[in-house]
């Protein structure tokens, strides 16, 4: 007897697989909070556009029609959750929890894709609301699960919440092999429920363009140009970066900090207090990173914790020298075990300053940097995600027979 929780499309896919016929195309539903800039949102929108170009039905439901990162949505099937915009702003994630179960019922996707573990509360709510009628939920773990930045009680509560995700949600994506042991331990799931897929950061043509970006840029004389990119929020620890820059920077060195967020005023005041305001530029969020990467010599990341930050791959592809805090279990892999940049302890201004002072102007081995970045193309990642999704759909259909 077939279980009522399996959708008709899922059964058809199973039957096609066992008969050898081509399976019907997948339908993948992704949900995001808004167009506010962030690596999770940017990669998700671009990957959904790639799926759509491959013939996959891939609607992306957005909770709030606001934010400056709409450029990343080009080609994606973006749909704004209907309703009162003021209520969506006021309720935030609660707005999505309230409306998404009904949308999933109506859309009947084969897979519900949770593009980052910042969204797992929504995924868990949909799973609980729909029960056996919920499609398999695939979760990309986009951020650190240890969270050593938290106090003991808050960290304990967070770890319990992560373990609950492992019980509720179906399958998880690790963005680097080094993430798997941490995910097994914290989520409490076996390795069979974890797949490794490199984060699909770049299109193949973008990788080729980034590889020659600095060669085509006008040469600038004088001091070195440092670049940092990220939301101006506590996780990124930009005060540490300003302190490190003040410790080591020569008079002609310059620091550009791209991004926006709640700490802008504080960071500007901190730069003034450190005496580096005239050497710091904060242009805000920018849609196209290429001109800024072309103008830089050294990329710096000062975060307390990260998952697999896409911007690190983009900076390596653009041939920038790298100075990064040890803010993720994946960071050593991303830096090629130190081949493509320096790794320093988190929250250590002296170590960060020393590494920034010693950094060269650009990647010493450009060809190797390009080869390394080639692992993270959108084309390869989109295919790998679909392979995992098809396995989940087939397994669910098999259980329903």
């Amino acid at each position: 007897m077939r279980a009522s929780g399996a959708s008709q499309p899922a059964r058809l896919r199973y039957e096609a697989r066992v008969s050898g016929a081509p399976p019907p195309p997948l339908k993948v539903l992704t949900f995001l909070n808004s167009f506010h800039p962030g690596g999770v949102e940017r990669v998700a929108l671009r990957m959904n556009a790639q799926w759509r170009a491959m013939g996959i039905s891939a609607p992306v439901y957005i909770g709030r029609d606001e934010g400056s990162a709409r450029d990343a949505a080009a080609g994606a099937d973006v749909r704004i959750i209907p309703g009162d915009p003021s209520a969506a702003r006021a309720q935030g994630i609660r707005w999505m929890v309230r409306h998404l179960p009904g949308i999933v019922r109506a859309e009947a996707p084969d897979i519900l894709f949770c593009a980052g573990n910042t969204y797992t509360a929504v995924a868990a709510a949909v799973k609980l609301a729909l029960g056996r009628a919920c499609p398999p939920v695939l979760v990309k773990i986009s951020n650190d699960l240890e969270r050593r930045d938290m106090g003991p009680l808050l960290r304990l509560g967070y770890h319990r919440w992560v373990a609950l995700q492992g019980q509720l949600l179906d399958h998880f994506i690790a963005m680097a092999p080094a993430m798997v042991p941490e995910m097994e331990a914290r989520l409490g799931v076996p390795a069979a429920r974890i797949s490794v897929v490199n984060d699909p950061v770049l299109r193949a043509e973008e990788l080729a363009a980034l590889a020659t970006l600095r060669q085509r840029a006008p040469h600038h004389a004088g001091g070195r140009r440092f670049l940092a990119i990220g939301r101006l929020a506590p996780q990124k620890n930009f005060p540490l970066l300003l302190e490190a820059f003040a410790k080591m920077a020569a008079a002609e060195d310059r620091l550009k900090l791209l991004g926006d967020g709640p700490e802008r005023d504080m960071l500007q005041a901190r730069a003034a207090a450190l005496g580096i305001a005239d050497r710091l530029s904060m242009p805000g969020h920018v849609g196209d990173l290429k001109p800024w990467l072309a103008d830089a010599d050294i990329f710096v990341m000062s975060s307390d914790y990260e998952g697999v930050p896409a911007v690190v791959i983009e900076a390596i592809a653009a041939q920038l020298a790298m100075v990064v805090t040890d803010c993720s279990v994946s960071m050593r892999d991303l830096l090629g075990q130190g081949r493509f940049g320096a790794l320093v302890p988190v929250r250590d201004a002296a170590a960060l300053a020393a590494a920034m002072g010693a950094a060269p102007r650009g990647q010493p081995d450009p060809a190797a940097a390009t080869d390394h970045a080639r692992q993270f193309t959108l084309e390869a990642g989109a295919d790998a995600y679909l392979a995992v999704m098809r396995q989940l759909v087939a397994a669910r259909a098999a259980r329903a027979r």
Side-chain angles (χ1 to χ4, degrees):
M1 180 178 292
R2 294 175 178 176
S4 60
S7 67
Q8 181 67 17
R11 294 192 196 104
L12 290 174
R13 282 175 180 80
Y14 174 79
E15 289 161 4
R17 183 174 67 86
V18 298
S19 69
L26 285 173
K27 183 173 186 178
V28 181
L29 190 149
T30 303
F31 55 93
L32 300 171
N33 189 39
S34 70
F35 292 105
H36 283 301
V40 164
E41 291 76 13
R42 182 166 175 261
V43 170
L45 288 166
R46 285 162 59 92
M47 189 159 61
N48 275 271
Q50 179 70 21
W51 288 334
R52 193 180 183 201
M54 297 166 66
I56 303 297
S57 176
V60 184
Y61 277 86
I62 305 286
R64 292 178 289 153
D65 187 12
E66 59 184 49
S68 56
R70 286 178 175 83
D71 57 293
D77 179 11
V78 173
R79 308 175 189 184
I80 307 302
I81 293 177
D84 179 4
S86 61
R89 282 194 297 274
Q91 295 181 36
I93 292 293
R94 286 181 298 156
W95 177 260
M96 299 182 70
V97 169
R98 177 181 169 189
H99 291 278
L100 200 59
I103 290 170
V104 173
R105 285 192 192 96
E107 289 280 1
D110 298 297
I111 293 287
L112 185 62
F113 179 47
C114 182
N117 52 306
T118 49
Y119 291 108
T120 47
V122 179
V126 173
K127 186 82 172 179
L128 290 171
L130 298 183
R132 296 178 67 190
C134 186
V137 180
L138 179 63
V139 181
K140 181 176 85 170
I141 298 298
S142 59
N143 224 326
D144 175 48
L145 297 181
E146 287 293 340
R147 295 300 300 268
R148 293 184 178 88
D149 60 300
M150 293 179 173
L153 289 178
L154 183 59
R155 188 171 178 233
L156 177 62
Y158 177 73
H159 285 167
R160 288 181 174 174
W161 161 233
V162 169
L164 182 60
Q165 295 172 31
Q167 296 177 37
L168 285 174
L169 307 176
D170 297 283
H171 200 85
F172 300 87
I173 295 291
M175 295 188 290
M179 295 177 70
V180 173
E182 178 183 271
M183 289 168 62
E184 288 181 279
R186 289 294 162 210
L187 291 162
V189 300
R193 287 176 58 197
I194 302 171
S195 298
V196 179
V197 180
N198 288 324
D199 207 21
V201 175
L202 301 167
R203 291 189 174 92
E205 66 268 20
E206 291 172 335
L207 175 59
L210 287 170
T212 59
L213 198 61
R214 295 179 72 247
Q215 298 172 20
R216 303 194 306 268
H219 177 73
H220 56 78
R224 295 177 300 165
R225 304 197 180 192
F226 295 85
L227 178 67
I229 303 171
R231 181 164 164 76
L232 308 184
Q235 171 188 354
K236 307 300 182 181
N237 203 347
F238 287 129
L240 181 82
L241 173 58
L242 298 185
E243 182 182 349
F245 183 78
K247 286 178 180 291
M248 54 67 58
E252 293 185 337
D253 290 342
R254 296 292 181 268
L255 172 62
K256 289 188 174 71
L257 178 49
L258 305 184
D260 232 326
E263 293 195 336
R264 169 175 284 276
D265 291 345
M266 180 274 289
L267 292 170
Q268 289 175 328
R270 182 64 178 151
L274 290 167
I276 58 171
D278 60 333
R279 288 175 282 170
L280 172 67
S281 174
M282 297 176 64
H285 171 71
V286 299
D288 184 5
L289 294 180
K290 290 192 292 294
W292 306 91
L293 293 167
D295 188 57
D297 299 310
I298 300 153
F299 177 85
V300 187
M301 175 170 282
S302 53
S303 298
D304 287 342
Y305 62 94
E306 292 283 352
V308 177
V311 70
V312 168
I313 304 303
E314 292 175 283
I316 292 174
Q319 310 298 327
L320 272 64
M322 307 292 294
V323 178
V324 181
T325 55
D326 192 7
C327 53
S328 164
V329 294
S330 305
M331 200 57 70
R332 292 183 187 277
D333 287 341
L334 291 184
L335 293 183
Q337 307 304 318
R339 187 177 183 186
F340 304 110
L343 199 64
V344 302
V346 297
R347 300 186 179 184
D348 189 332
L352 186 61
M356 290 169 67
R361 289 181 186 256
Q363 279 292 330
D365 190 343
T370 299
D371 286 343
H372 181 67
R374 193 168 283 118
Q375 304 173 70
F376 303 90
T377 60
L378 190 62
E379 292 82 355
D383 279 338
Y385 269 95
L386 291 177
V388 174
M389 291 175 179
R390 289 189 177 105
Q391 290 173 2
L392 293 176
V393 169
R396 186 175 191 234
R399 290 193 300 270
R401 289 182 67 86

